Every structure is written in structure tokens, then in C-alpha cells.
Amino acid sequence: MRLTVDHVTRYHYDRPVRSVVQSHRLQPSVFAGQKVSEWEVTVTGGVRGAAFRDGAGDQVQGWTVAGPVSEVTVRVQGTIDTVDLTGVLRGHKETVTPDCYLRATVPTRADTALAGLAMQAEGADPLALAHALSAVVADAIAYKPGVTHAHTTAAEALALGEGVCQDHAHALIAVARVRGLAGRYVSGYLFADADGQSHEAAHAWAELHLPGLGWVGFDPANRCCPDDRYIRLGSGFDAQDAAPIRGIARGGGKEEMDVTVAILQASQ
């Protein structure tokens, strides 16, 4: 599937700040499931800094905006061809060992309830178990936008019984680790109109490391594995670690942010 992306993030400050420094993970991952035709990231007034590819295979690009500045706009525009690999991350180069993703973080730490949820899943092999874990998370946390926030933990979302894709991903990572499977958070995009259903265009899911297959994606929020509707950007231990944009503003102004994302199917 050929998809076009137009992703705009605007930062507003209630008074001019001295400078803004950001690091971006906004380049599509390099693997067999996607091939970039065009891709451009722009930052209003920004100066491009150093770039590198980290151990997880993500390209990290630094930006600096000199102040005084009251608004910064980050825009991603691109065209990419995607292939359905039934969630398998084939051909992705990284150097970190999967075992490092057995370490819990605050958002993905399993409490007693998450540990109990993990034991409800049954599977004859690791792949079947992974699907079962994704299903029990989907059953336990109903999709409901606006009920959680950026710092909600997996345990809190499970206790609430509601959440968004970030909460589903955190919960799946938590229960997978209880069952001995390494799990990590993935940020990206989802083409919302392919099946006529409502989805979040800026999306997140989880990958679990399975013997013989490597990393495999699972999206409990949509009860599926990522296919050619999905664009993978990067990964991390949790949502904060995998955030497409991270940064600081020097000068103390109060920051507000708004995001618009449009994913469309392009003609071949």
C-alpha cells in the first residue's frame, strides 16, 4: 500500500522562550515491510544538528531553534510503500539484545492485577501465547479516548478498565514480561480509512520477541497484528522512551501543543 503522511506538531509558548532543543525519531524504520519514496521533516526556524542511528535501529535527529520564539512547528511529510508481513519485523537491523526489554519501567511495571491477567492467557507455543496475551489485554481495557493521560501506567489503565492505544501497548508489554517474553513499545502511524473503522492516525502498539520469529507486532487496541496500514517509526521501553519528538524549551514559558495527522492512500 502506498501511503502519504502529513503530520504537524505545533508548540505554543505563553511568552517567548530563549531556545528550543529537540530530538526526533520521525524517520520510518528500515525493514522489509516499508520503503520510503519521499520523506521530509521541517522545523520552523530550526537548525538541523547531529544525527545517528541508535542501538534499536532508530534514526535520531537533533534540532535547535534559537529564540526568542513563541511558536515552533514540526512538520513531517512523506510517501511510503508498505507490505503486510503479518506483524513480523523482518530485515530490521539493530544491535541491542532482546533480553534488555525484559526490564520493566514505571509505565510497564506489572502489579498483582496485571500478573493475574497474564496468567489468564493460554497458548501451545510462544506465538499462540502472544496472541492470547494481546487478546486478554484487549478484553480487559476498553478503548476510550480521553480517559487516561500521557503518564498513566499500565496498572492504572487496567484498574480503570479503559484507555487508548498507549495504555494497551503498556499493558501488553507488562503481561508479556510476566510470561517471560521481552516486549517493547512502538510508535508510528495507522491509515485510518482502510477498513472503514475509526482509528488513531498517530498510533502505538507493542512488539514481543518470539523464538524463531524475532520481533512481532501486536496491536491490542485494534485486535490485530500490524499490516500494510501501519507505518513504523521507532521503539523503546515505553511511550516516553519511544516518543517521536522529545525536547526542552529554555526560558520558562508555559507550553501547549496541538497535533494533526493525516494518513491517506496514494495512487500507485
Side-chain angles (χ1 to χ4, degrees):
M1 186 179 295
R2 173 161 289 190
L3 300 173
T4 64
V5 175
D6 190 358
H7 172 196
V8 179
T9 306
R10 290 189 176 90
Y11 298 86
H12 307 269
Y13 305 97
D14 63 350
R15 63 177 186 271
V17 296
R18 293 200 303 272
S19 65
V20 176
V21 178
Q22 295 180 336
S23 66
H24 296 173
R25 285 179 168 82
L26 289 170
Q27 294 291 328
S29 303
V30 179
F31 73 106
Q34 50 193 37
K35 182 178 181 181
V36 172
S37 298
E38 302 173 11
W39 203 265
E40 183 178 27
V41 179
T42 57
V43 180
T44 54
V47 176
R48 194 184 299 268
F52 65 94
R53 193 169 297 281
D54 67 11
D58 299 337
Q59 180 173 322
V60 182
Q61 174 67 59
W63 286 89
T64 302
V65 181
V69 60
S70 298
E71 181 175 304
V72 173
T73 299
V74 179
R75 186 163 200 162
V76 181
Q77 292 178 294
T79 303
I80 185 169
D81 292 293
T82 58
V83 177
D84 182 4
L85 299 178
T86 60
V88 178
L89 189 63
R90 187 182 305 155
H92 186 250
K93 295 182 179 179
E94 52 189 297
T95 58
V96 295
T97 173
D99 287 348
C100 77
Y101 293 99
L102 289 167
R103 177 172 67 84
T105 63
V106 171
T108 63
R109 184 165 294 122
D111 63 356
T112 302
L114 280 164
L117 184 67
M119 301 314 294
Q120 294 177 19
E122 297 181 356
D125 54 53
L127 179 59
L129 175 61
H131 280 289
L133 289 167
S134 185
V136 296
V137 167
D139 290 342
I141 302 176
Y143 177 76
K144 188 173 182 179
V147 297
T148 55
H149 52 79
H151 301 292
T152 299
T153 68
E156 291 169 340
L158 178 60
L160 186 63
E162 297 174 332
V164 294
C165 60
Q166 172 179 301
D167 305 304
H168 289 103
H170 282 161
L172 178 53
I173 294 166
V175 297
R177 288 171 180 160
V178 171
R179 299 298 296 268
L181 297 175
R184 64 186 180 188
Y185 190 99
V186 180
S187 61
Y189 303 116
L190 172 59
F191 174 43
D193 299 326
D195 58 4
Q197 302 296 316
S198 176
H199 306 285
E200 298 165 282
H203 200 56
W205 57 96
E207 287 177 346
L208 308 184
H209 196 268
L210 306 179
L213 288 174
W215 289 108
V216 181
F218 295 88
D219 181 6
N222 290 304
R223 297 179 181 270
C224 66
C225 288
D227 52 28
D228 56 355
R229 297 170 299 158
Y230 291 68
I231 299 172
R232 188 186 191 279
L233 289 179
S235 64
F237 291 103
D238 51 40
Q240 181 177 5
D241 194 38
I245 302 175
R246 301 173 69 176
I248 58 171
R250 297 190 174 99
K254 182 181 178 182
E255 180 182 279
E256 294 183 353
M257 180 181 71
D258 62 79
V259 180
T260 60
V261 184
I263 311 296
L264 301 174
Q265 186 173 14
S267 57
Q268 298 290 324

